[in-house]
Amino acid sequence: MATAAPVGTTAAAAYASLKLHITPEKFYVEACDDGADDVLAIDRVSTEVTLTVKKDVPPSAVTRPVFGILGTIRLVAGTYLIVITKKKKVGEIFGHAIWKATDFDILSYKKTMLHLTDIQLQDNKVFLSMLNHVLSVDGFYFSTTYDLTHTLQRLANTSPEFQEMSLLERADPRFVWNGHLLREFIAQPEIHRFATPVMHGFITMHSCSINGKCFDWLLISRRSCFRAGVRYYVRGIDSEGHAANFVETEQIVHYKGSKASFVQTRGSIPFFWSQRPNLKYKPKPQISKSVNHMDGFQRHFDSQIISYGKQMIVNLVNQKGSEKPLEQTFSKMVNSMANGMVRYVAFDFHKECSRMRWDRLQILMDQLADQQDEFSYFLVDSEGKTVTQQEGTFRSNCMDCLDRTNVIQSLLARRSLQAQLQRLGVLHVGQRIEEQADFEKIYKNAWADNANACAKQYAGTGALKTDYTRTGKRTRWGLIMDGWNSLIRYYKNNFSDGFRQDAIDLFLGNYSVDEVEPASPLHVKKDWKFLALPIIMVVAFSMCIICLLMAGDTWTETLAYVLFWGSASFGTFAIILYNGKDFVDAPKLVQKEKMD
């Protein structure tokens, strides 16, 4: 048995306590940890970042506490500093405090906006609202002493040199959502302790008890910042093999010094396809015919194998209707790749579980059982020795990688947890997790909360089917809530997701603001149809209703008016639907593969 590296520890922790001093010339960020004398000085004119000491902070400075530096970004008005102003403690991992960032402030380096034209002022305001939108989405987590971006297994298999690195240097770039904002900090190792890598996703921690034995149970979902975006505008993969809505989910158990971990992933079907919103409830997916799918597909799975070992694909899409070509193409490409490290299972979730037959999910669990036993899980004993390694991961997907995916992931995680708790001696032989009422409630609610967090971040609403995750059965109220969330999703996906996608692209650095750019991409002239047709439709429909309420001299006259205005409103509606893509809120900042 190999001895694992000390999990999560780092020689160069980030500063946990900070004060921000503001003067007209500089921002001073003072480290207030015990024994610290470092002060980060940021010149508001030259934007130069240097290290100084506390005695250099002018007494006239305006002072306020902050809890971390998210980074800097250039907008039309110049550079801005983004800081964490409020935080909430989530809990502790092996003695390391984990925080959720709950409020931020965006501070301008420039003291005045007089140098901007009216159009530039307006553009700057829009860009600021984009940043504020991203920061308002729940789910930003950080720790100043623990590396949240890596799984226990990755942390245990590291070198002593890795352990000496700062949190910023050693973080997995896939899961550092402020990586672009900290780009200038990365180049200066002496200021790394002022930089806080922040992940986006979901974390929950619970102290639990079964048979009088207390253990910690944690669930961590890490959203990738590569090919990040919103539901319909970011599908498939990019040329580098990064999948849309890629999330790594890790379940951790800590009992009497022993640590167990089970990792799963989710991500969009990994070839080039799109599903652009067009006012229809469910736009038809389009598989690109102009690119070589196998290059990106191969890159995706090469990187997955390096990161996680063997891959078991669990494809949950419908095997009929508009989703059928995606399932067929995915299956063919896995067969064409002919890689023994990648296996494929298709399970038509909606067909198998129709008419509330949720018990049929056991068919899939039985199908995957041998594979899960082969993959095992990661386990370190109380002496720090690695007992078992996880040899592969389940890569689950549906269309959105949200609702169906989360249900299956929670079932796989429960099966792994059953084996872990039995091995650690928490569960007696023959005992089932399902029989432990108190823990089962915690478990189901945590996975439902995880589903909601991932869904809000990608689709803009809470997840569907969470009544099953919370209670183990489908309820009528759950169906009603699913209908409501589906309506909200429809509205957001068609009429606000362009702005949301632009906001994410700006935040992650996929789009950089050019201060001297003559024509801003924010100003896109709308076609005449965009204004005229909805007005005509509303007027025609209103006239139809008025004619029904205010009958004419004869019924034939009334019928003629109703038919005329009804036909006008229906015809205009049909034209709007036919030109649906012109009426949705589309992204303006970044085109590239998102437009495939």
Side-chain angles (χ1 to χ4, degrees), residues 475-486:
T475 63
R476 304 227 181 280
W477 176 248
L479 288 170
I480 292 167
M481 287 308 298
D482 282 1
W484 174 252
N485 276 328
S486 296

Side-chain angles (χ1 to χ4, degrees), residues 517-561:
E517 192 171 26
S520 166
L522 295 174
H523 303 288
V524 178
K525 282 193 175 179
K526 290 287 186 184
D527 189 80
W528 66 271
K529 294 194 295 283
F530 185 77
L531 287 174
L533 290 176
I535 292 170
I536 293 169
M537 185 183 75
V538 170
V539 169
F541 184 73
S542 301
M543 290 301 294
C544 183
I545 299 298
I546 290 167
C547 290
L548 279 171
L549 296 175
M550 300 173 66
D553 295 336
T554 64
W555 69 268
T556 51
E557 183 185 354
T558 302
L559 182 63
Y561 280 127

